[in-house]
């Protein structure tokens, strides 16, 4: 299975400051159809995960534009341009290139200073 | 609104059986795979398996093959996750989610197995 490695494990951010999370996959997530199947989710405390970004850089409906995704191949990044209090939680990357064998990263906990 | 609604929390003893459910609404239930994900206390997300309700095609993560059974009843737009003999180590939150983007997610079903 593809291994997804997220860094850092945790992040403490001052409101209004940027934050960045890295996700590396053990194999390329570029599919032969030209799409790269890398997703980002946020699990807020006590809630189910929610989709933020799909296919590396497309923001899901309703996701604020302070969230952006980038990367290619095996290296990916989620950036929050200005962290707000409501952004606290655990962020997960997930690969979906070999459905149904998806794998999640270990998670990055974001908290507010 | 596309929605997945899961059954309520369960408290069981080791060795007991259990079947939890995930009911879809607001979309064609038979046209999308449904996945099950485990989250043990304080831990990350683990994919368990998926089912295509249209024809009940089911795939399991190797880690969960033989440990659980995934099924679906398309007549009532419901997917299921079941255990024949629970262990304490099955204590976790279980989520269903619609593929291929794992959205939306159900609200989760907390399963507690304790003697």
């Amino acid at each position: 299975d593809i291994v997804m490695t997220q860094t850092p494990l945790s992040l403490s951010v001052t409101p209004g400051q940027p934050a960045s999370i890295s996700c590396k996959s053990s194999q390329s997530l570029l599919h032969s159809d030209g799409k790269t199947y890398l997703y980002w989710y946020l699990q807020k405390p006590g809630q189910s995960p929610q989709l933020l970004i799909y296919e590396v850089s497309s923001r899901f409906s309703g996701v604020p534009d302070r969230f952006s995704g980038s990367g290619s191949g095996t290296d990916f990044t989620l950036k929050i341009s200005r962290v707000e209090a409501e952004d606290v939680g655990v962020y997960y990357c997930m690969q979906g290139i070999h459905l149904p064998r998806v794998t999640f990263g270990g998670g990055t906990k974001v908290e507010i200073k | 609104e596309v929605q997945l609604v899961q059954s309520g929390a369960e408290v069981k003893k080791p060795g007991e059986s259990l079947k939890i459910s995930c009911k879809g609404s607001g979309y064609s239930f038979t046209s999308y795979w449904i996945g099950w994900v485990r989250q043990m206390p304080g831990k990350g997300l683990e994919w368990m398996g998926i089912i295509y309700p249209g024809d009940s095609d089911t795939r399991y993560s190797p880690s969960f093959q033989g440990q659980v059974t995934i099924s679906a009843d398309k007549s009532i737009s419901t997917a299921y996750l079941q255990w024949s003999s629970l262990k304490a180590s099955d204590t976790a939150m279980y989520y269903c989610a619609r593929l291929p983007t794992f959205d939306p997610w159900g609200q989760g079903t907390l399963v507690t197995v304790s003697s």
Side-chain angles (χ1 to χ4, degrees):
Chain A
D1 279 355
I2 297 176
V3 177
M4 305 296 286
T5 303
Q6 278 182 244
T7 55
L9 229 55
S10 64
L11 214 43
S12 185
V13 187
T14 300
Q17 292 301 301
S20 180
I21 299 169
S22 169
C23 177
K24 295 183 190 299
S25 60
S26 59
Q27 299 175 33
S28 175
L29 302 185
L30 175 61
H31 195 276
S32 55
D33 64 8
K35 296 180 181 179
T36 301
Y37 291 96
L38 186 281
Y39 305 83
W40 289 97
Y41 300 86
L42 166 60
Q43 186 173 30
K44 295 183 178 182
Q47 296 186 20
S48 306
Q50 58 190 84
L51 177 63
L52 295 176
I53 302 285
Y54 63 96
E55 292 170 19
V56 180
S57 58
S58 296
R59 264 190 308 276
F60 188 61
S61 174
V63 174
D65 61 7
R66 64 179 180 275
F67 290 93
S68 64
S70 63
S72 63
T74 61
D75 286 356
F76 306 94
T77 301
L78 176 71
K79 291 183 178 173
I80 311 172
S81 58
R82 295 173 305 281
V83 171
E84 297 188 5
E86 66 182 25
D87 301 336
V88 299
V90 181
Y91 291 78
Y92 295 95
C93 60
M94 187 198 85
Q95 66 80 14
I97 188 173
H98 295 310
L99 281 178
R101 296 178 75 125
V102 302
T103 44
F104 294 92
T108 296
K109 185 173 184 178
V110 172
E111 57 182 23
I112 298 295
K113 273 185 186 172
Chain B
E1 179 194 5
V2 176
Q3 213 173 357
L4 295 174
V5 177
Q6 298 184 228
S7 50
E10 301 274 1
V11 179
K12 291 289 190 179
K13 292 182 171 17
E16 291 186 333
S17 62
L18 176 64
K19 191 174 190 177
I20 62 175
S21 66
C22 168
K23 183 173 175 61
S25 62
Y27 73 100
S28 174
F29 186 74
T30 54
S31 300
Y32 291 83
W33 292 82
I34 292 284
W36 286 96
V37 175
R38 182 176 77 174
Q39 187 168 40
M40 300 180 78
K43 301 298 184 183
L45 304 170
E46 302 173 86
W47 164 74
M48 301 175 71
I50 62 172
I51 187 164
Y52 190 74
D55 60 7
S56 290
D57 185 5
T58 308
R59 320 280 176 88
Y60 294 93
S61 162
S63 302
F64 292 93
Q65 179 83 47
Q67 307 304 307
V68 297
T69 301
I70 294 171
S71 61
D73 184 341
K74 61 184 179 183
S75 69
I76 54 172
S77 301
T78 301
Y80 300 97
L81 177 65
Q82 69 180 92
W83 296 260
S84 58
S85 181
L86 286 160
K87 302 186 278 285
S89 57
D90 292 318
T91 294
M93 182 73 82
Y94 293 88
Y95 294 101
C96 61
R98 189 183 74 165
L99 273 65
T101 54
F102 277 81
D103 179 83
W105 293 65
Q107 82 277 22
T109 296
L110 180 62
V111 174
T112 304
V113 184
S114 174
S115 53

